[in-house]
Amino acid sequence: MSHIPYDSLGPKLADQRIMLIGGAGFIGHNLALELARMGATVMIVDNLMVNSLIENSFVEEQDPVQRTAYRNFLNERFSLLRSGHVQLRNADARLLADLGRCFEEFDPTKVVHMAAIASAVDAKKEPGLAFDLQLITLRNTLELVRPKTDRINQVMFMSSSTVYGDFEGDSVDERAFPRPEGIYANAKFMGERLIRTYRTQYGLGTTVIRPSALYGERCISRRVSQMFIENALTGKPLLLEGGGDGRLDFTYIRDLVQGQVRALALHDGPDASNTFNLTFGNARTIADLAAVVKSIVPEAILEERPRAVDKPVRGTLSIERAQSVLGFEPEYGLEDGYRQYCEWYVDAWRRAQREANLA
Ligand SMILES: NC(=O)c1ccc[n+]([C@@H]2O[C@H](COP(=O)([O-])OP(=O)(O)OC[C@H]3O[C@@H](n4cnc5c(N)ncnc54)[C@H](O)[C@@H]3O)[C@@H](O)[C@H]2O)c1
């Protein structure tokens, strides 16, 4: 039981106007819905460039059932946002003038930055684009906030657990020295440095969030948690490198959103600053993930593979700071959160199969 009841946060958010840049994505739309439900006024600014309807309507080689399923997930996001009274603006945050118009129109009191190519593997394929989507958009955000620090009390930056690099022990806390590897993790670390610099130089209130291995309804980012259940449903093997002993701190989207809401509601004033790991707080193996899938789709094929030599070494992110400062209490371990998600995925996939066969 949290020492800060979640219900007590609503009044702190009710007069806030929160802009989510890159907010039509997996994390953003879930956060937008919850913030609006709690009484905040919310605007999403997104150019619908990554993991979007456009991508999923025009990829030639995409399987028809997968295309139908992903389009359903995306359409569902939009209809939930519409009925949740979240405003949406289609604008590219790389363009200062376009983003500036959104700031003028909405007049935010808090800004959450989440635009990115949200995958280390994809970012490696297009480093220039990854850099622009993460850092040019962040630069524009910070430059628009800078003259308005009397009005905008907080910028939240969605960083990543990858800033830690290979874990040295079983668990890392926020004081561990970052040793990011690769384009994605280094751009995240640069983003963290940039927003902290704006805090010290210009008095900006800042919050850095480091999540890990998220899963949940309506995600189309094709991370291992999604691909395992989808592969099981399509007769493809679930590949277990090194027997599946790699560990990740898998986190259900509802738990991350609970933590983000707490960090937005409990922010301590315009020049406050903090960094939080927001994860379930207990790394589990890829084999554990596969076991949940197998219990739901018994015909799932599990296939062992040799371990890749450059595989990152990960583990648990300590959530003690978020627990003590924010009263963060994640609720969903793999056996309930991931199971619930897989059951939802099976239903959604069966529906897409019926629709694709009718088309
Ligand atoms: N999902 C995870 O497991 C995870 C883990 C750690 C960190 N993160 C970070 O959290 C953030 C959100 O991740 P997500 O999973 O929701 O990703 P996502 O791909 O679902 O959403 C990213 C959104 O950013 C938008 N975007 C990209 N470039 C833009 C631009 N120039 N202007 C406006 N919008 C733009 C995309 O269209 C997309 O809707 C990212 O910064 C990601 O790196 C995610």
Side-chain angles (χ1 to χ4, degrees):
M1 182 77 170
S2 170
H3 63 278
I4 305 175
Y6 194 66
D7 291 347
S8 69
L9 305 177
K12 297 184 195 302
L13 291 167
D15 57 352
Q16 298 296 325
R17 302 178 61 78
I18 308 179
M19 177 183 275
L20 309 186
I21 298 172
F26 169 52
I27 298 176
H29 85 279
N30 280 292
L31 177 61
L33 290 170
E34 182 61 359
L35 288 170
R37 191 190 70 77
M38 295 194 71
T41 307
V42 184
M43 176 186 273
I44 286 174
V45 177
D46 201 298
N47 67 350
L48 308 179
M49 180 181 177
V50 185
N51 293 322
S52 69
L53 262 179
I54 301 159
E55 271 186 6
N56 283 282
S57 299
F58 290 98
V59 180
E60 295 273 326
E61 63 276 13
Q62 196 174 18
D63 168 79
V65 177
Q66 188 187 63
R67 190 197 301 276
T68 307
Y70 290 13
R71 281 205 304 229
N72 287 346
F73 298 168
L74 290 162
N75 281 324
E76 204 180 319
R77 284 185 195 176
F78 290 128
S79 58
L80 286 168
L81 290 170
R82 203 173 41 242
S83 53
H85 304 289
V86 173
Q87 302 172 50
L88 175 66
R89 292 293 174 273
N90 184 195
D92 191 326
R94 285 172 297 182
L95 305 174
L96 184 65
D98 290 6
L99 187 60
R101 267 193 288 280
C102 298
F103 269 73
E104 259 169 49
E105 179 198 348
F106 185 62
D107 188 24
T109 59
K110 293 179 184 286
V111 177
V112 183
H113 180 281
M114 39 183 85
I117 293 183
S119 146
V121 176
D122 293 344
K124 186 178 177 187
K125 290 181 199 151
E126 293 190 88
L129 183 65
F131 188 94
D132 288 357
L133 298 193
Q134 286 199 35
L135 292 176
I136 302 295
T137 59
L138 181 62
R139 168 227 187 255
N140 288 344
T141 303
L142 293 170
E143 276 300 279
L144 289 164
V145 173
R146 184 166 63 90
K148 297 199 168 147
T149 47
D150 52 338
R151 171 80 175 147
I152 301 175
N153 59 63
Q154 183 180 18
V155 176
M156 174 180 278
F157 175 62
M158 291 304 291
S159 182
S160 163
S161 56
T162 57
V163 295
Y164 291 115
D166 280 349
F167 287 26
E168 280 180 340
D170 271 353
S171 159
V172 286
D173 68 23
E174 294 85 348
R175 290 165 305 178
F177 188 75
R179 293 180 303 143
E181 298 276 346
I183 292 293
Y184 175 79
N186 274 289
K188 287 293 182 199
F189 187 50
M190 285 184 231
E192 290 193 6
R193 297 290 304 251
L194 206 55
I195 85 157
R196 286 194 198 108
T197 304
Y198 269 68
R199 184 182 87 80
T200 52
Q201 304 286 306
Y202 309 110
L204 203 71
T206 57
T207 306
V208 169
I209 302 294
R210 293 173 176 162
S212 164
L214 289 157
Y215 60 85
E217 291 79 355
R218 301 178 300 282
C219 183
I220 55 163
S221 305
R222 301 169 62 77
R223 292 185 177 80
V224 62
S225 47
Q226 183 191 358
M227 291 325 295
F228 268 18
I229 182 68
E230 197 173 303
N231 283 0
L233 290 167
T234 51
K236 295 186 190 127
L238 283 56
L239 301 180
L240 302 174
E241 288 184 8
D245 64 354
R247 295 166 71 240
L248 285 173
D249 198 340
F250 292 105
T251 306
Y252 195 21
I253 185 68
R254 290 187 195 182
D255 283 333
L256 171 72
V257 166
Q258 180 222 137
Q260 288 177 297
V261 166
R262 287 177 178 279
L264 288 164
L266 298 170
H267 185 72
D268 247 354
D271 58 354
S273 165
N274 218 332
T275 298
F276 295 108
N277 291 338
L278 287 182
T279 65
F280 185 67
N282 180 21
R284 300 288 302 274
T285 65
I286 305 289
D288 291 337
L289 194 75
V292 175
V293 172
K294 185 92 183 153
S295 71
I296 292 168
V297 185
E299 55 278 23
I301 305 156
L302 274 45
E303 213 171 278
E304 296 203 9
R305 288 285 160 91
R307 193 189 326 273
V309 274
D310 58 351
K311 200 81 189 158
V313 181
R314 312 293 295 283
T316 296
L317 277 76
S318 162
I319 53 170
E320 275 175 35
R321 180 185 288 175
Q323 284 174 317
S324 85
V325 177
L326 304 175
F328 175 56
E329 286 297 340
E331 291 175 29
Y332 301 92
L334 273 193
E335 277 71 19
D336 34 37
Y338 188 57
R339 167 173 296 281
Q340 189 172 313
Y341 164 65
C342 285
E343 286 168 355
W344 173 87
Y345 211 94
V346 171
D347 283 349
W349 195 260
R350 301 276 181 247
R351 177 160 71 93
Q353 279 175 320
R354 288 193 297 276
E355 289 170 7
N357 288 336
L358 289 177

